[in-house]
Amino acid sequence: MSYASQQVENIIKLNPGEPEFHQAVKEILLSIEDFLERNPIYKENAVLERLAEPDRQIKFRVAWRDDAGNIRVNRGYRVQFNNAIGPYKGGLRFHPSVNLSVIKFLGFEQIFKNAITGLPIGGGKGGSDFDPKGKSDNEIMSFCQSFITELYRYIGENTDVPAGDIGVGAKEVGYMFGQYKRLKNVFTGTFTGKGIDFGGSLVRKEATGYGLLYILEELLQSKNMDLYGMKVSISGAGNVALYAAEKAISLGAKVVTMSDSGGWIYDKDGIDLSIMKEIKEVKKERIKSYAQVKKGSKYYEGRFDWSAECNAALPCATQNELDETGVKNLIKNKVSAVAEGANMPTTLDAMHLLRENNIPFIPSKAANAGGVSVSALEMSQNSMRVNWSDTQVDSRLREIMKNIFNLISQTAEQNGDKGNYLKGANIAGFKKVADAVIAQGVV
Ligand code: NDP
């Protein structure tokens, strides 16, 4: 049995009841199986055993009071996975589906994603099963303050720097930063995704979505294709999806779908982003409202099935939202590329189907790395006490995404699997972190 297969079995046995974490471990380890067999140094140094065990896992009670005066209790998590190449870095997710398995899958992926950005950041992730949907600002603030009252002792600008994710945007980061500052009496860049007036970086809000389109452009160019005039199918209607749509439209593509957890919109004339942003960012309504306002668009209730005709598909909502059925629909419509805006949105079976059908696929750890990259740029600006212009940040982002694409395509080719960007990303990310782990001795 190969070292990778042995360790997949071992990790599953050691971490029962964590299906999302098992899925992420399988996705990474099995794609680098041959590389590990050719390089026994990693087995000799028990690198997989060490990488799969987080440096530490913090799980805590978050008690807070709602507007009616009731005491509510949620669970908080922070998994500090690996800091071999820099301080732990990764977002906080507030969503009812959050549990230790979800946070561990996100944290494990984050280690390798952060490594391929070329920036000095380690991997971590956290969050809570708190649902900000339908809560008042006062309730959200009360929750965030209680969350940080426990977490503050474990984080810091050189230790662990959290950011946003599902359910955590600038507002929540602002409340958490405020409470952190109050408890520690320091003004440091311990959070990224902050408001522009207190240390936030320009283009951070847009970075994940824009970065996704920049890497998609690189991929298409390498195949002598162009985004201009393409139909793009996007899922989700949150931070990543909205700014992916914005950049796609500005590059001349037509965005034909968007979704939320209630249903999805098909707009054959192309989504009108000003209407969508008004609904999602300002009024915070369900996506259904779009079809009531925009003529010619249609709303479908329930899970998005990727059945709309498109040239490129960008899952930008959540994990496991693109399954085998979805990929079959995309193949029927002759899709030319799939790039993941969300983390692990494609199931393992769906990934295999894409590969069997030679559909270029850029995995999340490369495709959505723009967000954490600009977060790292925010950390640099905070340390230097400077603010870069939006053009400066955007051009750095573009360059980082181009470098990531070159790195993952060259690594795939050097490892005998040209065009396998999943393998390229996993080997490149693993090698960087694993070599640092070995160099730092048995710790
Ligand atoms: P948001 O909370 O802003 O938006 C999430 C979107 O996905 C919403 O439209 C939401 O719909 C939908 N969604 C969430 N859960 C489900 C579900 N179970 N089924 C169907 N739809 C769902 O989050 P982000 O845009 O920030 O994050 C989206 C993805 O991108 C996540 O996987 C995240 O980890 C990843 N990511 C985000 C980064 C960032 O910078 N924000 C960076 C890198 C990755 P509804 O409102 O109805 O819940």
Side-chain angles (χ1 to χ4, degrees):
M1 197 192 265
S2 71
Y3 177 42
S5 301
Q6 232 176 49
Q7 285 311 310
V8 167
E9 264 190 17
N10 186 36
I11 293 163
I12 292 175
K13 212 185 304 163
L14 282 171
N15 300 278
E18 298 182 358
E20 293 85 1
F21 179 50
H22 300 167
Q23 185 181 339
V25 164
K26 278 190 203 156
E27 181 244 284
I28 294 172
L29 268 53
L30 298 180
S31 81
I32 62 170
E33 192 167 23
D34 310 346
F35 174 81
L36 292 170
E37 294 306 299
R38 286 197 305 277
N39 296 279
I41 186 172
Y42 299 115
K43 183 175 179 184
E44 287 156 18
N45 282 279
V47 171
L48 293 182
E49 291 88 327
R50 290 198 270 165
L51 283 181
E53 200 61 46
D55 290 353
R56 71 194 57 75
Q57 309 180 43
I58 303 144
K59 186 173 166 197
F60 50 99
R61 180 185 66 245
V62 188
W64 56 283
R65 215 178 263 284
D66 67 20
D67 289 346
N70 303 309
I71 295 172
R72 304 276 202 106
V73 179
N74 287 97
R75 277 193 179 157
Y77 302 89
R78 185 74 183 168
V79 174
Q80 298 180 331
F81 233 114
N82 186 283
N83 65 354
I85 63 167
Y88 307 108
K89 181 86 196 89
L92 295 169
R93 177 178 291 191
F94 293 169
H95 192 271
S97 64
V98 164
N99 55 38
L100 189 61
S101 170
V102 168
I103 298 301
K104 280 176 71 180
F105 113 65
L106 290 163
F108 191 61
E109 282 274 323
Q110 195 84 43
I111 305 172
F112 308 103
K113 175 190 310 195
N114 293 0
I116 61 173
T117 64
L119 299 161
I121 37 179
K125 198 84 189 187
S128 172
D129 59 357
F130 172 75
D131 186 0
K133 236 178 264 156
K135 303 284 191 303
S136 69
D137 277 359
N138 186 52
E139 290 174 326
I140 291 174
M141 184 176 71
S142 167
F143 172 81
C144 288
Q145 291 182 340
S146 180
F147 184 84
I148 289 303
T149 301
E150 178 60 29
L151 190 63
Y152 86 97
R153 59 193 100 234
Y154 305 103
I155 59 178
E157 57 173 336
N158 296 313
T159 312
D160 183 356
V161 183
D165 191 80
I166 292 180
V168 179
K171 178 166 73 182
E172 291 75 15
V173 169
Y175 292 148
M176 290 191 275
F177 176 75
Q179 182 73 351
Y180 179 79
K181 188 167 58 67
R182 178 194 200 184
L183 292 167
K184 296 278 276 199
N185 193 24
V186 288
F187 194 111
T188 56
T190 296
F191 286 83
T192 59
K194 301 183 289 295
I196 301 296
D197 294 332
F198 52 94
S201 176
L202 290 166
V203 196
R204 174 58 192 91
K205 183 174 69 171
E206 298 84 355
T208 310
Y210 281 17
L212 175 64
L213 269 293
Y214 292 154
I215 204 165
L216 178 64
E217 263 193 314
E218 294 295 326
L219 168 71
L220 294 173
Q221 267 169 29
S222 75
K223 307 209 171 293
N224 294 319
M225 290 190 274
D226 187 359
L227 201 60
Y228 190 85
M230 276 195 171
K231 286 183 190 157
V232 178
S233 182
I234 294 180
S235 64
N239 173 265
V240 179
L242 287 171
Y243 291 94
E246 183 168 282
K247 187 51 80 178
I249 294 165
S250 80
L251 293 169
K254 193 192 272 188
V255 176
V256 290
T257 66
M258 290 188 84
S259 67
D260 66 15
S261 56
W264 58 283
I265 293 287
Y266 174 67
D267 190 338
K268 63 178 182 344
D269 304 319
I271 297 277
D272 181 325
L273 205 61
S274 56
I275 300 178
M276 190 59 89
K277 277 189 175 175
E278 176 72 15
I279 291 168
K280 282 296 175 186
E281 288 190 325
V282 184
K283 295 185 179 157
K284 305 214 182 279
E285 288 175 356
R286 309 309 299 153
I287 207 166
K288 196 188 209 164
S289 312
Y290 181 90
Q292 289 153 8
V293 186
K294 175 78 192 303
K295 265 203 194 121
S297 67
K298 246 189 119 172
Y299 174 71
Y300 298 86
E301 190 90 20
R303 190 185 158 108
F304 180 39
D305 61 1
W306 301 94
S307 58
E309 197 183 303
C310 67
N311 309 103
L314 307 177
C316 294
T318 193
Q319 62 267 19
N320 293 328
E321 51 163 323
L322 175 56
D323 58 9
E324 265 185 297
T325 313
V327 169
K328 282 182 189 155
N329 285 334
L330 291 173
I331 292 169
K332 204 161 60 194
N333 285 320
K334 300 194 170 42
V335 75
S336 306
V338 176
E340 297 184 321
N343 281 313
M344 207 169 76
T346 313
T347 63
L348 290 172
D349 291 345
M351 262 185 220
H352 290 143
L353 200 54
L354 286 168
R355 187 91 200 116
E356 277 163 28
N357 286 275
N358 288 322
I359 295 170
F361 167 76
I362 310 201
S364 55
K365 68 176 66 63
N368 70 23
V372 77
S373 299
V374 173
S375 275
L377 301 183
E378 183 173 328
M379 288 164 72
S380 303
Q381 294 171 75
N382 292 164
S383 301
M384 294 188 281
R385 306 233 187 271
V386 295
N387 298 307
W388 295 335
S389 70
D390 51 1
T391 325
Q392 275 173 302
V393 180
D394 193 39
S395 65
R396 289 287 302 270
L397 171 63
R398 201 179 257 262
E399 190 189 314
I400 290 168
M401 299 314 292
K402 189 184 169 90
N403 292 342
I404 293 176
F405 182 73
N406 290 338
L407 174 70
I408 65 173
S409 47
Q410 282 161 15
T411 308
E413 201 168 342
Q414 283 156 8
N415 284 277
D417 213 343
K418 189 170 177 207
N420 188 340
Y421 305 112
L422 175 71
K423 192 175 199 171
N426 284 340
I427 292 177
F430 172 80
K431 189 173 181 324
K432 182 166 177 183
V433 179
D435 291 348
V437 165
I438 294 172
Q440 291 170 28
V442 181
V443 287

